[in-house]
Amino acid sequence: MSKSKKISRIQSDNIIQINKKKCIGCTGCAIACAEKTGISVLKAIDEGRRTVIPKQGTFSNTGCIYCGQCTLICPTTAINVRNDINIVKEALTSGKYLVSIAAPSLKATLGEEFNLPIGTNVEGKIAASARKLGIQKVFETDFGADMTILEEGTELIKRISTKEKLPMFTSCCPAWVRYAELFHPKILNYLSTAKSPQQMMGAAIKTYFADTFKILPKNIFTISIKPCTAKKYEAEKPNMGRDDYKDIDVVLTIREYAELLKEKGININAIPSEKADSFMGDYTGGAIIFGASGGVMESTLRTVTYYLKGDLSKVYDIKFIPVDAYTSVKEAQVIINNEPMKVAVISGLYEMDKFLSSDKWREYVFIEVMACPGGCVNGGGTPRIEKKSQVNENKCIACGTCIENCPVGAIAYNINGRAETNKNKCVGCTLCSKLCRTKTINIEYYDKATGKVLDTSYIDLRRNVLRQIDKNLPTRISAENPELQDMYKNYMGDPDGKKAESLLHTSYEDKSSELKAPLKRQSKRHK
């Protein structure tokens, strides 16, 4: 009798993976997906124990945008992003020329993985830790953010002057771009063609840097450290490279990078701060604020105003106000080329279908979209936040719903006959708060470094770090980055020019045909 094959407990769809063995059936990932993206990729199933799977068999067929918000909420890491640490470890011994780039948001988040309080600035630790790993050249994606602003800002000025393809949507968030390609391909012509900072950095490293230092592009291995899980997807797209090589060879999330550092015995608290390498390591305040919602908008308007010789004082700390009937859309009126124009910032995609299905979006000249609520500082690859449920006994109606459905038995009736959470058992899946019909249960967020409940949003704490760095920098306008000016003068030519167009811009495609039709529920027949 032949041996039976073992059934894999990990359902893999490349970028996002589910380990059913670790799943406790709380469905927090599915709820987060529905609430934060408006797509609802996952569904609950019962295979002897409750777990989740993609609705149409695979994540890609169901329209997953790889934002990774599901991986942030999962209390057991049963649903997680593909781990690419081994690829980096192999590269470290490959003999190739290793170049790393790190996103602005690492400055405000990496410290949490090393027991530092939320909101700690670790700006100088990123380059230092990368060098400790053995990486030869350490740059910042912030340089690429400044590059993106030059390209995107120039493109916006051209579109406004010709009154074509307006409004222009930002294109630096790969989860948002994938969403548009899958669900709203009609607006693809309105997206900026500028690549994201990650991909611009990769292209520049394997052309400008390679040509300048006489290194074959195929001998360069680029490591991108990001808060974003969708960056893995973006780096693997067929049009993100040339001559049979990729511009970005591997992407590590912040959690993966911290895991690698710890494995190698590198503690960022024990090493002195260092700056990134020069040549492509300088950055402005305009690049720093890319890491939070509204930052790309403000940075672009700074450079556009600078180019058009407008009043720069009007484009610092722009005040956006909520748009009626929306909670994720905010707007502001700005002056561009001496004319008042409306711009909008969208944080999270849960209202995007409603927004794009109406004519509301046509009111604006420029729209920033970030798939993750709060922007990159809350990306799917950022450090997880500890959470616990808190029951307001005075509002509890003792229905027992939370007690019956808690997957870890952390809620029980107290001596007053009301629900009460055992904080030692609670894993922070948040299911109870979603089920409570009287909104009796709130979720408290904790700073793991201090053990204290946060009285300020962790997103705000992280965002404030980037804003403070921006304010402290002598140069806050991307167009004034001296190393970037050298690159355009000596190699790239004019922003949005012929060479920049070939290296720093991209195109989009209608991918709606990739979505599988909803599966019909089959009725059970009794024999």
Side-chain angles (χ1 to χ4, degrees), residues 119-167:
T120 301
N121 180 356
V122 293
E123 185 175 7
K125 305 294 186 176
I126 301 160
S129 61
R131 291 192 182 102
K132 283 283 186 182
L133 282 174
I135 296 171
Q136 288 98 317
K137 193 63 68 172
V138 178
F139 294 138
E140 300 272 11
T141 312
D142 310 49
F143 181 88
D146 279 334
M147 205 187 313
T148 296
I149 290 302
L150 260 65
E151 295 300 322
E152 196 168 70
T154 302
E155 185 181 9
L156 179 60
I157 291 171
K158 288 180 178 179
R159 291 197 191 190
I160 289 174
S161 66
T162 60
K163 294 182 171 58
E164 295 179 344
K165 299 180 182 178
L166 292 174

Side-chain angles (χ1 to χ4, degrees), residues 11-22:
Q11 180 168 350
S12 171
D13 187 34
N14 195 19
I15 306 295
I16 305 294
Q17 302 177 346
I18 300 174
N19 186 334
K20 293 183 181 179
K21 189 174 182 180
K22 297 172 72 175

Side-chain angles (χ1 to χ4, degrees), residues 341-358:
M341 299 183 185
K342 286 175 68 178
V343 296
V345 169
I346 300 175
S347 178
L349 299 180
Y350 52 95
E351 293 178 309
M352 207 63 196
D353 185 70
K354 171 185 173 182
F355 183 73
L356 294 176
S357 297
S358 70

Side-chain angles (χ1 to χ4, degrees), residues 163-190:
K163 294 182 171 58
E164 295 179 344
K165 299 180 182 178
L166 292 174
M168 187 175 86
F169 288 87
T170 57
S171 55
C172 54
C173 173
W176 149 240
V177 171
R178 178 166 166 80
Y179 176 91
E181 289 183 321
L182 285 170
F183 299 104
H184 288 274
K186 68 177 183 179
I187 69 159
L188 293 178
N189 285 335
Y190 295 90

Side-chain angles (χ1 to χ4, degrees), residues 60-61 180-183 185 509-517:
S60 57
N61 286 343
E181 289 183 321
L182 285 170
F183 299 104
E509 58 180 306
D510 181 345
K511 294 184 178 179
S512 56
S513 62
E514 295 181 11
L515 296 171
K516 276 186 106 176

